[in-house]
Amino acid sequence: MVEKKTLRKKILAERDAQSKAEREAKDKQIWNRLFNTEEYQKSTTIFVFISFKSEVFTHAAIEKMLKDGKRVCVPVIPRKNDPMEARYIEQISDLKMGLYNIMEPPASAEKANQKEIDLIIAPGAVFTRKGKRIGYGGGYYDRFLSKFNGDIIAICYDLQIVDDFRIDEWDVKIQKIITENELIAC
Ligand SMILES: Nc1nc2c(c(=O)[nH]1)N(C=O)[C@@H](CNc1ccc(C(=O)N[C@@H](CCC(=O)O)C(=O)O)cc1)CN2
Ligand SMILES: Nc1ncnc2c1ncn2[C@@H]1O[C@H](COP(=O)(O)OP(=O)(O)OP(=O)(O)O)[C@@H](O)[C@H]1O
């Protein structure tokens, strides 16, 4: 089976190659589908990534979540290799540039206890329909998700779903994946 690294590179190149208009149309379908899930509707506190590069765009969706009265917390990497933390944001404009060129809340933002989170919306580079996931390679989500008991929904484009790859023992499986075409129950 293909190496994780090779597969990550190939799929990310395909994701990058989409036009902005193409991505925007897909993002709309992905978020409509997500907002319609029971997991979203019953949630009070959501942990969601701040998109960078050609990931499914999350900024506008976060504004909608806040408008819906959800508490929203987002990832902060304190410094390279440190575990990922969750911090609350009140509005997208609170964010500033952080590590790896990913936006993050200021150090003054309130820290979220993982027990308060009932839904995690996770990013990823490559997935299978059985819930296997490859990220950017930092192991940040694997470590964060391994202690989490609530709902996890990953969002990605259909082109990021492949047949199969070999996983490592620490890799955490995803329960649901939402793409522009469907909701996959893994
Ligand atoms: N939007 C978003 N936020 C996220 C993630 C994500 O996948 N998406 N992460 C998901 O876990 C964490 C960040 N993980 C990352 C890990 C590596 C690189 C990265 O660019 N690595 C470089 C090498 C950097 C270096 O070693 O100096 C590379 O791969 O080229 C970026 C993000 C937390 N926040
Ligand atoms: N639960 C864990 N405990 C300790 N180390 C871990 C854990 N999960 C992952 N790691 C370490 O993180 C490194 C990167 O793992 P991997 O390539 O699976 O990351 P990824 O899934 O692509 O990234 P991410 O989870 O950040 O999206 C591995 O070398 C591994 O040693």
Side-chain angles (χ1 to χ4, degrees):
M1 238 175 278
V2 234
E3 282 290 320
K4 261 185 173 181
K5 241 170 120 175
T6 318
L7 197 54
R8 178 190 290 128
K9 210 171 150 193
K10 171 174 176 274
I11 300 293
L12 289 180
E14 285 176 28
R15 194 182 71 187
D16 288 344
Q18 301 179 97
S19 71
K20 193 157 176 255
E22 202 176 340
R23 277 195 274 131
E24 279 171 1
K26 292 179 181 181
D27 290 350
K28 211 166 155 184
Q29 292 174 294
I30 289 168
W31 287 113
N32 276 338
R33 200 165 268 122
L34 187 126
F35 291 139
N36 275 317
T37 61
E38 197 195 331
E39 288 90 338
Y40 176 76
Q41 287 171 4
K42 70 174 191 210
S43 69
T44 32
T45 304
I46 302 174
F47 177 79
V48 54
F49 64 100
I50 305 293
S51 54
F52 79 133
K53 297 188 179 163
S54 61
E55 286 180 324
V56 175
F57 187 64
T58 63
H59 299 220
I62 289 171
E63 296 285 12
K64 146 97 172 143
M65 293 174 202
L66 291 165
K67 230 187 262 156
D68 285 346
K70 308 290 186 186
R71 294 201 80 197
V72 177
C73 52
V74 304
V76 176
I77 313 282
R79 43 156 47 109
K80 215 173 154 180
N81 297 324
D82 277 7
M84 179 163 74
E85 294 175 349
R87 287 186 187 269
Y88 287 107
I89 56 167
E90 312 288 340
Q91 48 193 21
I92 277 290
S93 58
D94 289 347
L95 301 173
K96 53 178 188 43
M97 203 45 89
L99 199 61
Y100 299 118
N101 269 325
I102 304 176
M103 307 277 278
E104 61 180 35
S108 59
E110 183 195 345
K111 216 166 153 173
N113 185 321
Q114 205 190 52
K115 292 192 188 77
E116 298 162 359
I117 300 171
D118 30 41
L119 171 62
I120 291 181
I121 301 175
V126 194
F127 296 89
T128 71
R129 302 182 70 87
K130 293 263 187 260
K132 292 186 187 178
R133 167 184 175 281
I134 303 176
Y136 269 91
Y140 294 107
Y141 268 86
D142 289 325
R143 278 175 281 180
F144 194 78
L145 297 177
S146 66
K147 297 175 287 178
F148 181 68
N149 290 316
D151 297 315
I152 303 172
I153 301 181
I155 53 174
C156 69
Y157 300 114
D158 192 63
L159 63 84
Q160 292 173 260
I161 300 191
V162 303
D163 273 348
D164 202 12
F165 49 79
R166 192 183 43 76
I167 52 169
D168 298 298
E169 68 273 16
W170 59 77
D171 281 323
V172 173
K173 289 260 183 88
I174 301 295
Q175 302 150 353
K176 285 191 178 167
I177 303 172
I178 290 180
T179 75
E180 68 276 22
N181 296 332
E182 60 182 328
L183 186 158
I184 304 168
C186 305

